Amino acid sequence: MNQYVTGTMIKRLREDKKMTQQQLAESIGVSGKAVSKWETGRGYPDISLIEPLAKALGVSIIELFSGEGVVNTNRSFKMQRMKIHVCPICGNLIQSTGEAVVSCCGIVLPALEAEPEDDGHHLHIEKVEDEYYVTIPHEMSKTHYISFILAVKDDGCEIRKLYPEGNAEARFKIGRTKSIMYYCNQHGLFKYK
């Protein structure tokens, strides 16, 4: 039951919308008895009904499946609330500016927490004219490498994608840069002081 839409979630969302079982049923083209069965755990909605059910309940399909609603309280864009998500399957990098349900390759991606640097992950910054020249003495093989370096600014961010067997280095304009983060494909996200 945890792997599919739960009746408890359907009932809670329906009641939040101040809908009756019959109103929900009519909006997606099923009987009121079908909705009752879902909510009491005696049945599940057919897969073809998931999209219209999510729409009727005012949530995303991912939220409906996960059993948790996501409320983004970041009503004004603030870079301090930026979240980074990395797909462990394809390496896709997704950035959000607040709470979000993010999915890639069929899995829901948690927001990464940036760790402080450790002995195996430490970057060097050199000022060269109006830029930071960032280098990371780290293995860059096909199995263990730094995937990207990210400069967080007060008005956005700059991302430099790195590739295995290349150099772990990047340049960023100094102006407005507040912090620098980087991602090791085996050990996660790190933040420079």
Side-chain angles (χ1 to χ4, degrees):
M1 184 115 163
N2 291 338
Q3 300 303 312
Y4 199 58
V5 180
T6 65
T8 306
M9 178 73 164
I10 294 171
K11 183 176 181 178
R12 182 176 57 77
L13 291 169
R14 177 183 59 77
E15 289 174 346
D16 288 349
K17 300 279 274 174
K18 299 190 182 345
M19 296 173 75
T20 65
Q21 288 181 341
Q22 189 60 39
Q23 288 170 324
L24 176 59
E26 289 172 5
S27 71
I28 60 174
V30 298
S31 70
K33 287 184 179 184
V35 173
S36 177
K37 283 184 178 181
W38 302 340
E39 290 184 358
T40 57
R42 293 180 289 130
Y44 299 105
D46 184 79
I47 193 72
S48 65
L49 295 172
I50 297 302
E51 187 174 351
L53 181 60
K55 185 175 181 180
L57 294 172
V59 296
S60 69
I61 293 171
I62 293 171
E63 289 172 291
L64 190 60
F65 276 120
S66 72
E68 297 176 15
V70 172
V71 178
N72 188 353
T73 58
N74 189 10
R75 298 292 177 221
S76 61
F77 181 82
K78 292 185 180 172
M79 289 308 297
Q80 298 90 335
R81 296 182 182 150
M82 181 181 69
K83 307 285 185 188
I84 301 290
H85 309 265
V86 177
C87 180
I89 297 169
C90 71
N92 198 5
L93 165 66
I94 302 150
Q95 172 207 343
S96 65
T97 57
E99 295 301 319
V101 176
V102 177
S103 172
C104 188
C105 295
I107 58 173
V108 176
L109 305 177
L112 299 177
E113 293 288 329
E115 301 287 332
E117 294 183 302
D118 59 26
D119 291 336
H121 299 90
H122 185 74
L123 65 79
H124 302 284
I125 296 180
E126 180 182 337
K127 287 184 181 181
V128 179
E129 296 178 7
D130 66 339
E131 294 182 321
Y132 289 127
Y133 175 57
V134 178
T135 58
I136 305 169
H138 189 280
E139 177 180 347
M140 291 295 284
S141 68
K142 288 184 178 181
T143 58
H144 191 194
Y145 57 94
I146 300 297
S147 179
F148 62 85
I149 304 173
L150 175 111
V152 180
K153 300 176 176 276
D154 61 2
D155 64 346
C157 66
E158 287 184 61
I159 301 169
R160 299 293 181 265
K161 175 69 178 132
L162 305 177
Y163 297 94
E165 300 176 350
N167 294 324
E169 62 185 14
R171 290 180 181 271
F172 300 101
K173 292 285 185 190
I174 292 173
R176 305 185 96 153
T177 298
K178 301 298 179 192
S179 66
I180 296 180
M181 294 189 278
Y182 53 98
Y183 182 78
C184 171
N185 75 318
Q186 289 189 9
H187 299 105
L189 188 65
F190 293 90
K191 185 174 183 177
Y192 178 75
K193 306 173 195 171

